[in-house]
Amino acid sequence: MFKFNSFVWKKWHNIFVQCSILFLCNHQCLFAQNNRTISGKVTDGKNPVQGATVRLQAEIICDTTDASGFFQLPIKEEIENGMVTAWKEGYYNSGIEIGQNYTNIELALSPLPEDNADYEWIDPAPTPILKKVASLVFGEVKNCGDCHPDLIYKQWINNGHSQAAVNPIFLNLYNGTDSKGNADIHPGYKLDYPHSAGNCSNCHAPAAAVRNPVGVDMNSLDGVEKMGVSCDFCHKIKDVQMQKNTSAKSGIDHMDLRRPPEGHQMFFGPYTDVPNPDAYSSTISESIFCAPCHEGGYWGVPVYESYSEWLASPYAKKGVTCQDCHMPPDMVTTNFAPGRGGVEREPMTIPSHFQLGSRDSTFLASAVEMQTKTKLSNGTLQVTVEIENVAAGHHVPTDQPMRNMILVVTAVDVDGNNLLYTGGNRVPYWGGRGDPAKGYYEGLPGKGFAKILFEPNPQYVASKVGVKGMHLSPAPQWRVVEIKEDNRIPALETDVSVYDFQTNGKNLPIVVTTTLIYRRTFKNWSDMKKWNLKDIPLAVNSVQVN
Amino acid sequence: MKDLKSNIIFELVSASVVFFLILGCQKESPPIPAKFSLVIPNGLDSLLVQIPEDNPMTAEKIALGKALFFDERLSLDATVSCAFCHNPLQGFADGREVALGIYGLEGTRNTPTLVNRLFSRDQNWDGRAKSLEEQILEHIQNPYEMRNTFENLVNTLKAVEHYRKAFQIVFGTEVTVEGIAKAIASFERTLLSGSAPFDQFITGESGAISKSAERGFVLFKSKRVNCIACHSGQNFTDEKYQNNGAGMDKQEPDWGRFVYTKNDTDKGKFKTPTLRDVTRTAPFMHDGSVRTLKDVVAFYNEGGIPNKYLSKHVKPLHLTEQEKTDLVEFLKTLTGRNALFFTEQFSSSN
């Protein structure tokens, strides 16, 4: 299990962002003058290829071929066991070992395959021992985890993407069940649309969805398709096109996949210097790569908006991508396939596959900072709470609208009594109605942050599923909803809220405590579904007023 | 009122009872077509019904049509049923400006109500469908509505046992597209709105509508206001096409019936809708651009929206505030008592 350390992230973040331009967007060349060179030609098998990026593997220095396909790379010292690599848009990466001869090196590029719908997806998990033994007889099995076991696979298997198709919360919402297995518990997609498989699979089980668009029942998955957003799937995406009206399309609909024909393989990655079957893709390092599944809606209503939130944020202008924060280098890995053809690289050039999200409390907490100020005058204690979105390149909370944040403000006098609250801001109904000690915060001095969907015309639901599911509020995103309110905090912006308490000026000191928590789902939903989800504390301030 | 309500309930309930009895029958006993007599509510004229000769109404067929009407499997991804837009609880419309279809795609026109289709022949705002049956088939295929193909639809329904049985009973065939359309159309022909307070008033029941509404009715049929020029007859429509200017001020206006007939004289013309149950089908006009009945009266008071093809019946009316209120009050008396019945009937049938 990998725990992300926010300290490391904060320390390295700026350096990383600057360096990433240098290392990862590595078809842009840095050319240094030097006397000793390696030179040669890049062809497509017959004709010279112009504009190919050529580099020494895992080095920064590179060159772009001219009209005759010629390249020249400066070197500092003699090279042993080095490799020259080449790439151009539309081709696989190509590589050749450098021998004794430093000139007339010829690199041939082969074109990318057309997409093959019959392709069989690779299993991410390392091959079990028994199968390995069998493979000695029946031929080799190569799963993702066989070559990238310790870091990349383990990072991925512990993140949300690997669980996308089997996450019990997701399946409870899909089937209309609860965590104890009871049926007919709203909200449930299948309760509202009993005959529809839905387009959930477009993102939650993309490998299945491509064989049967809008027809894959999430309960019918098997094998690799159950592995969610798997290694092989993402690394088969050549390009992403996002259209303005995203409502009619989602997930796989936006993607240009390249699944190779039988007997061939193909992976897209952020490197031009990993030879065939890999190919460089600039998209894989850009925010738009994540957009198909983190931007979209139902019935014309934008539900998931992380990508457009990012687009409108200062981060987009600075060029800080989703991957920069959600896939930061672990600063440990120097070789992503040790002993399996991988080479030693700068740790900074190897993105982790943590894909950090709402599962990681430390990561979540690093997104916001809270300050609490107090003012005592004329018998009134005024508490001002400033919550700044300091590190998320999108709103907090974001993505699935059931994610929410709740601020609770308490002021207790020296005798341990709560001060009388005279202000207006209170935790909304979805903070939960009941005993505050048990996490039901509705009505307490405080505030809720969320995008709230509601159903303006619940009559259709009533005529279909009866009144039981009708008045569910906040409403689930698959219904015909409208956005009632959206007070989430955009990137680098600050929410300021004020809370007034009555005090007689005695009974000092007063202790003001402000607590900001994150919930993965609304309290009333988690109660109905019997999900035992813990509140994730993001920030706590305690101020003593004398 | 109670009589009518219980009558219709009896008819429909008996229809479905017979239907399920037949489903439960043994194979050897041949299905007997259940006798079906349609109850025409007070105020509607049974001589004006439009039932195609090749699609007589039977109890089993109506029951099958009702099941299909509420079945989302009619659409490609099984999310959009007929009732999705023609929601019984919203006057068999959807309360939206323009229709919402599969994948959340928006259409271009407001969803019209389904009540009293029994008295109309041509369907859609532009009258392009020559029958309810034709209209149903078109909307199943419409890429902005159900986006389905006939082949896929038939295959989907064939996989459902009770549909296979029902088609055998009703049509004596496999599941067919024509059968789907005929059954749904037959069900839709049972959706009738009459016995409104206005109908009681017009048959001499004093006090059935308010004084204000009575004054509104006088205005409605007066030469000066002349709503009745188009909203005429028992169903408050002449089933003809008019240009009242709605949406004509848009940059690219919807040319309505012209798109279908290509006659210049049809530019911007849309079918006169029924005013029965009109309180339940806001917003109004073919593009849903007018939100309330008050706004509708104001719209006509202004003389519609001027354009080259504006109907001669639409002209500034110079109504007083009281007259405007009276007209709205009158329109409110056209909502049938069976609106309540529909609400109860369909909200309890899951």
Side-chain angles (χ1 to χ4, degrees), chain B residues 218-291:
Chain B
V218 174
L219 282 167
F220 184 82
K221 61 180 182 176
S222 68
K223 272 278 172 285
R224 182 181 137 229
V225 179
N226 206 8
C227 306
I228 211 163
C230 306
H231 293 287
S232 60
Q234 47 124 28
N235 198 24
F236 294 89
T237 168
D238 58 0
E239 297 283 325
K240 292 193 177 118
Y241 305 86
Q242 300 293 342
N243 175 330
N244 67 6
M248 285 301 122
D249 50 350
K250 284 183 189 143
Q251 218 158 41
E252 285 175 24
D254 180 349
W255 289 115
R257 189 162 168 79
F258 167 79
V259 180
Y260 158 64
T261 63
K262 303 284 183 265
N263 294 333
D264 262 7
T265 52
D266 282 337
K267 275 195 171 165
K269 279 189 180 176
F270 293 89
K271 193 175 173 194
T272 310
T274 176
L275 296 183
R276 294 278 184 183
D277 279 6
V278 73
T279 52
R280 312 183 73 221
T281 61
F284 304 101
M285 305 301 163
H286 72 271
D287 56 356
S289 57
V290 182
R291 299 196 69 79

Side-chain angles (χ1 to χ4, degrees), chain B residues 17-79:
Chain B
V17 166
V18 170
F19 176 67
F20 289 112
L21 279 179
I22 290 174
L23 286 188
C25 276
Q26 298 297 319
K27 266 182 189 168
E28 50 267 33
S29 60
I32 309 148
K35 201 171 158 243
F36 181 77
S37 60
L38 196 64
V39 178
I40 307 291
N42 185 14
L44 300 176
D45 189 344
S46 56
L47 295 174
L48 298 173
V49 300
Q50 301 265 358
I51 301 173
E53 276 180 16
D54 63 348
N55 190 19
M57 288 166 76
T58 65
E60 302 89 346
K61 201 190 278 175
I62 292 164
L64 170 61
K66 183 181 169 189
L68 288 166
F69 184 82
F70 286 93
D71 198 327
E72 286 110 0
R73 281 171 286 197
L74 261 59
S75 67
L76 179 64
D77 68 350
T79 58

Side-chain angles (χ1 to χ4, degrees), chain B residues 61 63 65 91 131 133 192 225 348 350:
Chain B
K61 201 190 278 175
S131 65
E133 287 80 355
L192 299 175
V225 179
S348 59
N350 298 332

Side-chain angles (χ1 to χ4, degrees), chain A residues 67-281:
Chain A
S68 59
F70 178 77
F71 69 88
Q72 194 173 18
L73 293 169
I75 50 168
K76 287 182 194 145
E77 56 205 45
E78 297 290 323
I79 296 168
E80 285 169 37
N81 303 325
M83 184 181 259
V84 194
T85 63
W87 167 81
K88 194 190 172 189
E89 183 67 48
Y91 295 92
Y92 278 103
N93 297 339
S94 166
I96 192 163
E97 297 283 345
I98 305 165
Q100 299 298 315
N101 200 350
Y102 281 12
T103 55
N104 296 328
I105 293 172
E106 194 167 319
L107 282 148
L109 295 178
S110 43
L112 293 180
E114 294 295 313
D115 189 40
N116 164 31
D118 297 328
Y119 173 77
E120 273 185 42
W121 300 99
I122 304 175
D123 194 333
T127 314
I129 299 289
L130 275 177
K131 265 198 177 172
K132 269 191 181 162
V133 175
S135 72
L136 295 174
V137 185
F138 299 112
E140 201 177 0
V141 183
K142 268 190 183 173
N143 289 356
C144 307
D146 291 341
C147 300
H148 312 283
D150 292 330
L151 290 154
I152 296 179
Y153 172 75
K154 279 187 185 166
Q155 289 167 350
W156 171 82
I157 196 68
N158 284 312
N159 77 38
H161 282 143
S162 64
Q163 308 299 310
V166 292
N167 181 336
I169 292 180
F170 164 75
L171 288 175
N172 284 165
L173 285 169
Y174 182 75
N175 290 320
T177 50
D178 68 11
S179 67
K180 310 282 180 223
N182 298 314
D184 208 16
I185 308 287
H186 284 276
Y189 180 83
K190 288 296 244 178
L191 297 180
D192 293 352
Y193 298 99
H195 304 303
S196 169
N199 61 1
C200 313
S201 62
N202 277 18
C203 290
H204 283 270
V210 289
R211 67 171 161 78
N212 186 5
V214 296
V216 177
D217 189 299
M218 295 306 298
N219 304 305
S220 71
L221 302 174
D222 206 13
V224 187
E225 293 176 350
K226 235 178 168 166
M227 306 289 266
V229 185
S230 65
C231 321
D232 202 19
F233 189 84
C234 278
H235 288 278
K236 289 285 183 289
I237 303 172
K238 181 175 188 298
D239 220 342
V240 166
Q241 282 101 28
M242 291 301 288
Q243 273 126 26
K244 244 188 175 175
N245 180 3
T246 55
S247 68
K249 296 190 164 200
S250 63
I252 56 160
D253 302 331
H254 297 291
M255 299 169 186
D256 174 11
L257 295 178
R258 292 299 166 91
R259 292 161 288 176
E262 212 180 328
H264 294 73
Q265 198 36 279
M266 144 106 271
F267 303 104
F268 290 105
Y271 305 99
T272 62
D273 61 357
V274 179
N276 189 330
D278 282 38
Y280 172 73
S281 160

Side-chain angles (χ1 to χ4, degrees), chain B residues 116-130:
Chain B
N116 297 350
R117 291 307 85 202
L118 183 65
F119 303 99
S120 68
R121 198 173 66 96
D122 295 354
Q123 301 300 329
N124 292 331
W125 278 104
D126 52 12
R128 67 181 184 278
K130 291 287 156 229

